[in-house]
Every structure is written in C-alpha cells, then in structure tokens.
Amino acid sequence: MITSTTDFGTDCAPEDQEDIDPMTLVGMWTRTAALTAPPLMSLATVGLDGYPRVRHVLLSESDATAVYFHTDSRSQKAAQIAQAPRGACALAWPAAGRQLVMHGDLRVAEPEQALRSYRERSRYLQILAWRNDSDLAHRPPAERRRAWARFDAENDELDPPPTWVGYALIPREIIFWRGDPDGPSRRIAFRCNDSGAWNTEVLPG
C-alpha cells in the first residue's frame, strides 16, 4: 500500500497519482525506452576505499521488486558489491523530459535471468563478455583485434560465460523527475518504510 499526505489533484498525468505503485511506473518508463535499445543506466557503488564509484551499465529488466543489470563477476563493481551491497542508479530521457533515480540494496539475481539477458545483448557485447579479460587488455592493439576476430569466427551462437552474473537493485527510494514545457518541473519521491509501504512526497524540480 502507498501512503501519502499529498493530494496530486485530478488534473495530473496518471503516472503522478498517489495510488500508483512506483515499481509499476519504473516498468512503464523503462519498457518504453527498451523498445529502441536497452536503457543505459548509471550505477553507483561504494568503492573498496569507501569512496563512491560510478559507471554506466545496461538495464537488463525490471519487475515488481527490483531493477536488474548484468556484468562480469571479476569486475571491480562485483568486488565492491560483495563488500558493500548497496547502490544507486539513474536513468534519463532528455527528449521525453524524464529522469529516474533510485537507491537501495543489491543482491545476486537468479541464474535463469543470466541466459535471457545475455541473449538480448548485441553480438559485440556477447563476445566482450567472453574476451574482456586482463590478459587480452594488456596485449598490443593489433593482437587484441586478431584474437577478437578469431574468437568471433570460431563461435557462432554463444552462451554466457561462467563469469556472467546478474544483480538486483531493490530500491528503498525512487524519485521520478518530469519536465513541463509550459511550467516548472517537479519530482515525486517514493520511500519504502519499515513495513514495506511506500510513502510519497512531492518535491520541487
């Protein structure tokens, strides 16, 4: 159940209404963006030295509880998540006047998602998941390209490598920003309380 002390009024867009489940709205926004390409999402984690780290990853999917991304289990982000399983992410659609920000807890996703997400990646990213290792990174450019071309030619259909791992970000707070060409922008924050209910607050843009 979502609780709020704010009345958004009847003249607001349906997605602004206080009774909408925020994860439903996350799905609406991200699935619309995924029609053209997987949404690019900035992901922040806590570095091993305690400082934040940020990079971009592809959003694999979302459901009623979390958003998901996949990466290499040997990566720095995987080590950071293992030590401090909390993170934040942001997605932006400038042309649509939308931005989505959330933070919460991170956990390893179910294995069956790995195959599904991997097969939705481009051929380039599928090969990269196999060949993006320290050994290849330290070779000269021409040698790296030859190794890449050889691997591509020798492998038709690829399954995910053993290092392909997925993570779920389970949000504690979700903030939707919407622009308005005829007026000021504004944000709506959804915060999950200890009982699992979402409280809402309207914020200035």
Side-chain angles (χ1 to χ4, degrees):
M1 177 180 179
I2 300 170
T3 60
S4 175
T5 58
T6 303
D7 180 7
F8 294 147
T10 59
D11 60 339
C12 297
E15 61 196 40
D16 283 345
Q17 299 305 309
E18 65 182 76
D19 59 348
I20 193 167
D21 176 76
M23 291 306 297
T24 298
L25 185 51
V26 168
M28 290 168 56
W29 282 20
T30 57
R31 280 192 295 273
T32 299
L35 293 176
T36 55
L40 192 63
M41 177 175 78
S42 62
L43 172 71
T45 53
V46 181
L48 302 183
D49 57 3
Y51 286 91
R53 298 290 192 277
V54 66
R55 79 289 287 163
H56 288 90
V57 297
L58 290 178
L59 174 65
S60 296
E61 59 183 289
S62 66
D63 61 21
T65 61
V67 296
Y68 300 86
F69 62 94
H70 289 75
T71 188
D72 193 318
S73 61
R74 301 164 296 180
S75 65
Q76 291 184 356
K77 72 176 85 63
Q80 293 160 8
I81 293 169
Q83 175 176 278
R86 294 179 177 179
C89 67
L91 298 101
W93 300 272
R98 290 178 177 176
Q99 180 176 238
L100 168 62
V101 179
M102 65 181 76
H103 73 259
D105 301 306
L106 289 163
R107 63 165 174 81
V108 176
E110 297 299 325
E112 59 265 22
Q113 289 185 321
L115 180 60
R116 182 169 64 248
S117 68
Y118 184 80
R119 288 184 172 169
E120 292 175 350
R121 296 297 193 264
S122 66
R123 174 70 174 180
Y124 175 85
L125 292 177
Q126 289 180 350
I127 297 174
L128 188 65
W130 278 96
R131 299 301 292 146
N132 191 27
D133 55 30
S134 180
D135 174 66
L136 192 62
H138 285 87
R139 298 185 194 181
E143 190 175 340
R144 292 201 305 270
R145 295 187 183 108
R146 284 194 298 270
W148 181 283
R150 185 166 55 252
F151 183 90
D152 189 14
E154 293 173 352
N155 295 275
D156 293 327
E157 186 172 338
L158 291 169
D159 286 328
T163 53
W164 183 250
V165 63
Y167 292 96
L169 191 155
I170 305 164
R172 300 289 300 173
E173 180 179 83
I174 308 173
I175 300 177
F176 298 90
W177 178 92
R178 296 179 66 246
D180 183 349
D182 298 316
S185 61
R186 73 170 186 169
R187 294 174 294 154
I188 300 180
F190 292 80
R191 300 184 181 93
C192 188
N193 61 31
D194 292 339
S195 65
W198 292 101
N199 301 308
T200 63
E201 181 183 5
V202 175
L203 305 170

